[in-house]
Amino acid sequence: GGSSGGEASLLAARGSPLGLGTDIAGSIRGPSLFCGICGFKPTPGRVSCKGIAVPRPNDSNGQAVVLATPGPMARCVDDLELVMRVWHEDGKMHNDDSVVPPLSWKSDIYTSSSKKKLKFGYFTDDGYFDSCAAAKRAVIETVEALKEAGHEVVELKFNFEQLCWSFVKLMSAEGGLQGFIDSLEGEELNPIYLFLYKTANIPTFLRPFLAKIMDFTGQNRIGGLVREARPRSTYDYWSQNATMKLQKKALIKKWEELKLDAVVCPPGGVPAMPHGMSSKLAQASSYTFLWNIVHFPAGVVPTTLVRADEEKYEGRKDSITAAAKIAGVDSRNMPMGVQVVTLPWKDELCLRAMKIVEDVVKWKIPNPLA
């Protein structure tokens, strides 16, 4: 469920009232979804990373496009906001770490959640990974609840698939999964990463040929990984980064044209999966990592449970879908929710929108001890 999976399970089991996680591709939001709790990924830079260990030699990561950020995890949105407010009280976050912008926490934006109505956008599929039936239903039910409460909701149509591919291209550009290997400092690579490792180490001259075979056999997404998850020259890396920035610019333009306050979408392609299945379903995290690459704040709110008639997964015919079908077996009663997103540096508004969703859906997290 991500690097913060233990924190999420502890919260879900009522072993702790609050938790802290880190998120570079969904490691706060994924575990929060799987465990049925709330999790918030702030705008990168809004919360200090001082004192947080980096899984790279000398605690320093040279990859500076997709940025990791710490964030709170809890069983309700109010507790997430409490952590953010305390962290930023009296400018203490900036005073303790001058790298953090000297921004105060605007509590009035959050507390006005019951007053001014917001305009929400929504989508149920990012074009990269087909979301499961429960994820789609969670979004649609939330949309209907928001409308009933008087909020305006419109569909957000955008080419999110290209943003997802930009994430893949930029995060694999060093080649050979070298960043992971360096961080192990001689330890053996966890078997869960073997597929990514093998894909990253395919010889360059073989990639076009293998990708065409994958495409011909209907494995277009695997073919895309073979083609794009490869080492890149500095110039190629710059070019891909420039492309991503244009995609981000287009998204913000669309967002502002629609005059959206926030967006509601799936927090993941599938619910919690059997242990070890993540090695075959990394693509299901596209719903979280697409927001990491554009640096938007985003959070997860649990809203429902998977129904018995939603255990069967439907998607395009390839090995990724086959893995998702296996993961869906016996997923009934697994937590499902929605993800709420706002533009960068609108963290207070993001939490306000999450609180609105929590209030209108009126779903209570089950107590495992009851």
Side-chain angles (χ1 to χ4, degrees), residues 129 195 214 217-223 225 277 279-283 313 315-327:
F129 186 95
F195 173 76
M214 293 294 101
T217 57
Q219 302 286 338
N220 300 79
R221 287 186 288 184
I222 300 298
L225 284 175
M277 283 298 295
S279 62
K280 300 176 181 179
L281 285 171
Q283 292 82 358
Y313 178 84
R316 64 199 87 177
K317 297 184 187 230
D318 60 15
S319 59
I320 297 173
T321 291
K325 286 179 179 291
I326 295 172

Side-chain angles (χ1 to χ4, degrees), residues 273-339:
M273 60 193 79
H275 185 68
M277 283 298 295
S278 60
S279 62
K280 300 176 181 179
L281 285 171
Q283 292 82 358
S285 298
S286 60
Y287 292 91
T288 53
F289 68 58
L290 75 86
W291 303 115
N292 291 90
I293 199 168
V294 291
H295 304 164
F296 286 23
V300 167
V301 180
T303 61
T304 188
L305 299 175
V306 177
R307 299 188 311 215
D309 62 344
E310 294 171 330
E311 290 186 356
K312 186 177 180 181
Y313 178 84
E314 299 291 343
R316 64 199 87 177
K317 297 184 187 230
D318 60 15
S319 59
I320 297 173
T321 291
K325 286 179 179 291
I326 295 172
V329 176
D330 295 328
S331 61
R332 178 175 51 179
N333 291 328
M334 288 295 176
M336 181 50 66
V338 297
Q339 185 173 199

